[in-house]
Amino acid sequence: MEWGLVPAVGSAANPYSRESVVRYTQSTEWALDSLFFIAAHGDRQDFSVEEIAKAQQVSPSYLAKIFQQLTKAGILRSHRGAKGGYSLGRLPEQITLLDVATVCEGSIPLYDCNAPAKSCSLGAKCLILSTFREAERRMQETLNGVTLQDLVESMRRNMSQATWLGVEGAPAGRPAEASAPARKN
Amino acid sequence: MEWGLVPAVGSAANPYSRESVVRYTQSTEWALDSLFFIAAHGDRQDFSVEEIAKAQQVSPSYLAKIFQQLTKAGILRSHRGAKGGYSLGRLPEQITLLDVATVCEGSIPLYDCNAPAKSCSLGAKCLILSTFREAERRMQETLNGVTLQDLVESMRRNMSQATWLGVEGAPAGRPAEASAPARKN
DNA sequence: CTATTACGGATAATTGGTGTCCTGATTCTC
DNA sequence: GAGAATCAGGACACCAATTATCCGTAATAG
Ligand code: SF4
Ligand code: SF4
């Protein structure tokens, strides 16, 4: 650690100092917390956007958009109509943080250069580009190593009683409201 | 490689698909190429913003702002007045890609949650947060492993004759325009 | 003194994430 | 079949941050 050799130019007086640019957006955060929420409820199904948005205290209309993206990507599975809603598109242990982040953020080229616009003939041999590509690779590798299942297990280990977004730190077996329908807000 | 389990939701029709959000800004690119440019010229000093902007075909006025930031961070050293300009603030082997990126992008918290606004009591125990923090750490570690000196050496190895931004692939010794003054555009 | 160059504030332009709304399609319940 | 619930998706407004420009000031070489 301690790469902080640089004085961290973040003085409020200067509009040219960025606060945090290389950064995952709110969308990813909402998506992850939502999926975590769903996964933490065991095999309950058909969560409405309304319910999940309320649990996180975020905008339902925007969260709906995110869910549509996740559905198209196969991470969520939608069920239209009355009593419909969203469920996980595959098993929690088959959904990694990188999967979710990729959907919300796009293909994530961490760094890219407008070489064509410049008189630069380095191209593929450029150490700048290859270094950033390697940095991106390691970052993705890390995110790819953690699944929704890991999140749930970690939560169960760390907080047997506390609550998270209305989810009781349920015993390993099955969460509060069991499998089937009969969802009451 | 091949984490691409996700269909990469990037259809142009959908405004909710981001193209590239987690991404270093143009500022970082300009900064790196500028510093590379300076370092590649050996111990020549006092490069004017005008000259470097012209070599990269970018806006001089904006590049000037970036240089000011780099100067405040100690990566560049400025010299006012006629025949003034910018030089490296320390040796090329003491300036890493992370140093530059940090100045241009800020402190870079890759991921953060509005926990206070939510009913989430995981806090420091959250596996989401710790995973992203680890991802960020590895990314920075990679960027911190490459210096301007590495860039120059890599370029010299890879392109003995080709040109980059007007810099001849000079022999190891000393670049085209030698040490001292007498800069003619 | 004069030309040159960096410094830094003010401000405009542009892009992209965020958020809302409305119409339509689907499916459950009665 | 009627009606309610819920997702799908397009259109659009909003806002924040990056990008870009301009101008007056300060410093320095000659
Ligand atoms: S030096 Fe590398 S990053 Fe810069 S323009 Fe050339 S290829 Fe792109
Ligand atoms: S689960 Fe983790 S990321 Fe989500 S609100 Fe709680 S602490 Fe933050």
Side-chain angles (χ1 to χ4, degrees), chain B residues 169-181:
Chain B
R174 184 150 304 178
E177 291 178 300
S179 47

mmCIF file with all atom_site columns, all heavy atoms in Angstrom, chain B residues 169-181:
data_model
loop_
_atom_site.group_PDB
_atom_site.id
_atom_site.type_symbol
_atom_site.label_atom_id
_atom_site.label_alt_id
_atom_site.label_comp_id
_atom_site.label_asym_id
_atom_site.label_entity_id
_atom_site.label_seq_id
_atom_site.pdbx_PDB_ins_code
_atom_site.Cartn_x
_atom_site.Cartn_y
_atom_site.Cartn_z
_atom_site.occupancy
_atom_site.B_iso_or_equiv
_atom_site.pdbx_formal_charge
_atom_site.auth_seq_id
_atom_site.auth_comp_id
_atom_site.auth_asym_id
_atom_site.auth_atom_id
_atom_site.pdbx_PDB_model_num
ATOM 1  N N   . GLY B 1 169 ? 13.154 7.403  -32.672 1.00 0.00 ? 169 GLY B N   1
ATOM 2  C CA  . GLY B 1 169 ? 13.536 6.262  -31.848 1.00 0.00 ? 169 GLY B CA  1
ATOM 3  C C   . GLY B 1 169 ? 15.037 6.285  -31.658 1.00 0.00 ? 169 GLY B C   1
ATOM 4  O O   . GLY B 1 169 ? 15.793 5.579  -32.289 1.00 0.00 ? 169 GLY B O   1
ATOM 5  N N   . ALA B 1 170 ? 15.460 7.162  -30.778 1.00 0.00 ? 170 ALA B N   1
ATOM 6  C CA  . ALA B 1 170 ? 16.874 7.459  -30.662 1.00 0.00 ? 170 ALA B CA  1
ATOM 7  C C   . ALA B 1 170 ? 17.636 6.298  -30.056 1.00 0.00 ? 170 ALA B C   1
ATOM 8  O O   . ALA B 1 170 ? 17.098 5.517  -29.279 1.00 0.00 ? 170 ALA B O   1
ATOM 9  C CB  . ALA B 1 170 ? 17.078 8.700  -29.815 1.00 0.00 ? 170 ALA B CB  1
ATOM 10 N N   . PRO B 1 171 ? 18.889 6.184  -30.374 1.00 0.00 ? 171 PRO B N   1
ATOM 11 C CA  . PRO B 1 171 ? 19.748 5.176  -29.745 1.00 0.00 ? 171 PRO B CA  1
ATOM 12 C C   . PRO B 1 171 ? 19.823 5.426  -28.249 1.00 0.00 ? 171 PRO B C   1
ATOM 13 O O   . PRO B 1 171 ? 19.588 6.541  -27.776 1.00 0.00 ? 171 PRO B O   1
ATOM 14 C CB  . PRO B 1 171 ? 21.102 5.385  -30.430 1.00 0.00 ? 171 PRO B CB  1
ATOM 15 C CG  . PRO B 1 171 ? 21.047 6.777  -30.983 1.00 0.00 ? 171 PRO B CG  1
ATOM 16 C CD  . PRO B 1 171 ? 19.605 6.996  -31.339 1.00 0.00 ? 171 PRO B CD  1
ATOM 17 N N   . ALA B 1 172 ? 20.206 4.405  -27.552 1.00 0.00 ? 172 ALA B N   1
ATOM 18 C CA  . ALA B 1 172 ? 20.115 4.421  -26.097 1.00 0.00 ? 172 ALA B CA  1
ATOM 19 C C   . ALA B 1 172 ? 20.737 5.658  -25.465 1.00 0.00 ? 172 ALA B C   1
ATOM 20 O O   . ALA B 1 172 ? 20.251 6.171  -24.476 1.00 0.00 ? 172 ALA B O   1
ATOM 21 C CB  . ALA B 1 172 ? 20.762 3.164  -25.521 1.00 0.00 ? 172 ALA B CB  1
ATOM 22 N N   . GLY B 1 173 ? 21.810 6.113  -26.055 1.00 0.00 ? 173 GLY B N   1
ATOM 23 C CA  . GLY B 1 173 ? 22.581 7.182  -25.446 1.00 0.00 ? 173 GLY B CA  1
ATOM 24 C C   . GLY B 1 173 ? 21.797 8.427  -25.133 1.00 0.00 ? 173 GLY B C   1
ATOM 25 O O   . GLY B 1 173 ? 21.311 8.621  -24.026 1.00 0.00 ? 173 GLY B O   1
ATOM 26 N N   . ARG B 1 174 ? 21.604 9.257  -26.130 1.00 0.00 ? 174 ARG B N   1
ATOM 27 C CA  . ARG B 1 174 ? 20.914 10.517 -25.897 1.00 0.00 ? 174 ARG B CA  1
ATOM 28 C C   . ARG B 1 174 ? 20.077 10.839 -27.137 1.00 0.00 ? 174 ARG B C   1
ATOM 29 O O   . ARG B 1 174 ? 20.522 10.604 -28.259 1.00 0.00 ? 174 ARG B O   1
ATOM 30 C CB  . ARG B 1 174 ? 21.937 11.626 -25.632 1.00 0.00 ? 174 ARG B CB  1
ATOM 31 C CG  . ARG B 1 174 ? 21.296 12.941 -25.283 1.00 0.00 ? 174 ARG B CG  1
ATOM 32 C CD  . ARG B 1 174 ? 22.188 13.728 -24.373 1.00 0.00 ? 174 ARG B CD  1
ATOM 33 N NE  . ARG B 1 174 ? 22.553 12.988 -23.151 1.00 0.00 ? 174 ARG B NE  1
ATOM 34 C CZ  . ARG B 1 174 ? 23.360 13.495 -22.230 1.00 0.00 ? 174 ARG B CZ  1
ATOM 35 N NH1 . ARG B 1 174 ? 23.901 14.672 -22.405 1.00 0.00 ? 174 ARG B NH1 1
ATOM 36 N NH2 . ARG B 1 174 ? 23.630 12.792 -21.151 1.00 0.00 ? 174 ARG B NH2 1
ATOM 37 N N   . PRO B 1 175 ? 18.911 11.390 -26.926 1.00 0.00 ? 175 PRO B N   1
ATOM 38 C CA  . PRO B 1 175 ? 18.014 11.625 -28.060 1.00 0.00 ? 175 PRO B CA  1
ATOM 39 C C   . PRO B 1 175 ? 18.517 12.700 -28.999 1.00 0.00 ? 175 PRO B C   1
ATOM 40 O O   . PRO B 1 175 ? 19.537 13.340 -28.758 1.00 0.00 ? 175 PRO B O   1
ATOM 41 C CB  . PRO B 1 175 ? 16.727 12.053 -27.378 1.00 0.00 ? 175 PRO B CB  1
ATOM 42 C CG  . PRO B 1 175 ? 17.166 12.600 -26.067 1.00 0.00 ? 175 PRO B CG  1
ATOM 43 C CD  . PRO B 1 175 ? 18.350 11.810 -25.668 1.00 0.00 ? 175 PRO B CD  1
ATOM 44 N N   . ALA B 1 176 ? 17.725 12.898 -30.040 1.00 0.00 ? 176 ALA B N   1
ATOM 45 C CA  . ALA B 1 176 ? 18.131 13.771 -31.133 1.00 0.00 ? 176 ALA B CA  1
ATOM 46 C C   . ALA B 1 176 ? 18.645 15.124 -30.652 1.00 0.00 ? 176 ALA B C   1
ATOM 47 O O   . ALA B 1 176 ? 19.844 15.402 -30.723 1.00 0.00 ? 176 ALA B O   1
ATOM 48 C CB  . ALA B 1 176 ? 16.955 13.972 -32.079 1.00 0.00 ? 176 ALA B CB  1
ATOM 49 N N   . GLU B 1 177 ? 17.719 15.914 -30.157 1.00 0.00 ? 177 GLU B N   1
ATOM 50 C CA  . GLU B 1 177 ? 18.136 17.232 -29.706 1.00 0.00 ? 177 GLU B CA  1
ATOM 51 C C   . GLU B 1 177 ? 18.744 17.121 -28.326 1.00 0.00 ? 177 GLU B C   1
ATOM 52 O O   . GLU B 1 177 ? 18.050 16.825 -27.367 1.00 0.00 ? 177 GLU B O   1
ATOM 53 C CB  . GLU B 1 177 ? 16.926 18.173 -29.664 1.00 0.00 ? 177 GLU B CB  1
ATOM 54 C CG  . GLU B 1 177 ? 16.402 18.511 -31.056 1.00 0.00 ? 177 GLU B CG  1
ATOM 55 C CD  . GLU B 1 177 ? 15.188 19.406 -30.968 1.00 0.00 ? 177 GLU B CD  1
ATOM 56 O OE1 . GLU B 1 177 ? 14.200 18.978 -30.356 1.00 0.00 ? 177 GLU B OE1 1
ATOM 57 O OE2 . GLU B 1 177 ? 15.242 20.530 -31.500 1.00 0.00 ? 177 GLU B OE2 1
ATOM 58 N N   . ALA B 1 178 ? 19.961 17.389 -28.237 1.00 0.00 ? 178 ALA B N   1
ATOM 59 C CA  . ALA B 1 178 ? 20.695 17.113 -27.010 1.00 0.00 ? 178 ALA B CA  1
ATOM 60 C C   . ALA B 1 178 ? 20.255 18.013 -25.862 1.00 0.00 ? 178 ALA B C   1
ATOM 61 O O   . ALA B 1 178 ? 19.305 18.764 -25.953 1.00 0.00 ? 178 ALA B O   1
ATOM 62 C CB  . ALA B 1 178 ? 22.199 17.268 -27.240 1.00 0.00 ? 178 ALA B CB  1
ATOM 63 N N   . SER B 1 179 ? 21.025 17.903 -24.825 1.00 0.00 ? 179 SER B N   1
ATOM 64 C CA  . SER B 1 179 ? 20.677 18.450 -23.519 1.00 0.00 ? 179 SER B CA  1
ATOM 65 C C   . SER B 1 179 ? 20.134 19.872 -23.508 1.00 0.00 ? 179 SER B C   1
ATOM 66 O O   . SER B 1 179 ? 18.963 20.097 -23.174 1.00 0.00 ? 179 SER B O   1
ATOM 67 C CB  . SER B 1 179 ? 21.928 18.414 -22.641 1.00 0.00 ? 179 SER B CB  1
ATOM 68 O OG  . SER B 1 179 ? 23.016 18.941 -23.385 1.00 0.00 ? 179 SER B OG  1
ATOM 69 N N   . ALA B 1 180 ? 20.886 20.789 -23.915 1.00 0.00 ? 180 ALA B N   1
ATOM 70 C CA  . ALA B 1 180 ? 20.693 22.165 -23.514 1.00 0.00 ? 180 ALA B CA  1
ATOM 71 C C   . ALA B 1 180 ? 19.521 22.929 -24.139 1.00 0.00 ? 180 ALA B C   1
ATOM 72 O O   . ALA B 1 180 ? 18.427 22.431 -24.237 1.00 0.00 ? 180 ALA B O   1
ATOM 73 C CB  . ALA B 1 180 ? 21.988 22.914 -23.734 1.00 0.00 ? 180 ALA B CB  1
ATOM 74 N N   . PRO B 1 181 ? 19.737 24.155 -24.528 1.00 0.00 ? 181 PRO B N   1
ATOM 75 C CA  . PRO B 1 181 ? 18.648 25.061 -24.885 1.00 0.00 ? 181 PRO B CA  1
ATOM 76 C C   . PRO B 1 181 ? 18.312 24.982 -26.361 1.00 0.00 ? 181 PRO B C   1
ATOM 77 O O   . PRO B 1 181 ? 18.015 23.927 -26.887 1.00 0.00 ? 181 PRO B O   1
ATOM 78 C CB  . PRO B 1 181 ? 19.254 26.420 -24.564 1.00 0.00 ? 181 PRO B CB  1
ATOM 79 C CG  . PRO B 1 181 ? 20.738 26.242 -24.763 1.00 0.00 ? 181 PRO B CG  1
ATOM 80 C CD  . PRO B 1 181 ? 21.032 24.781 -24.652 1.00 0.00 ? 181 PRO B CD  1
#
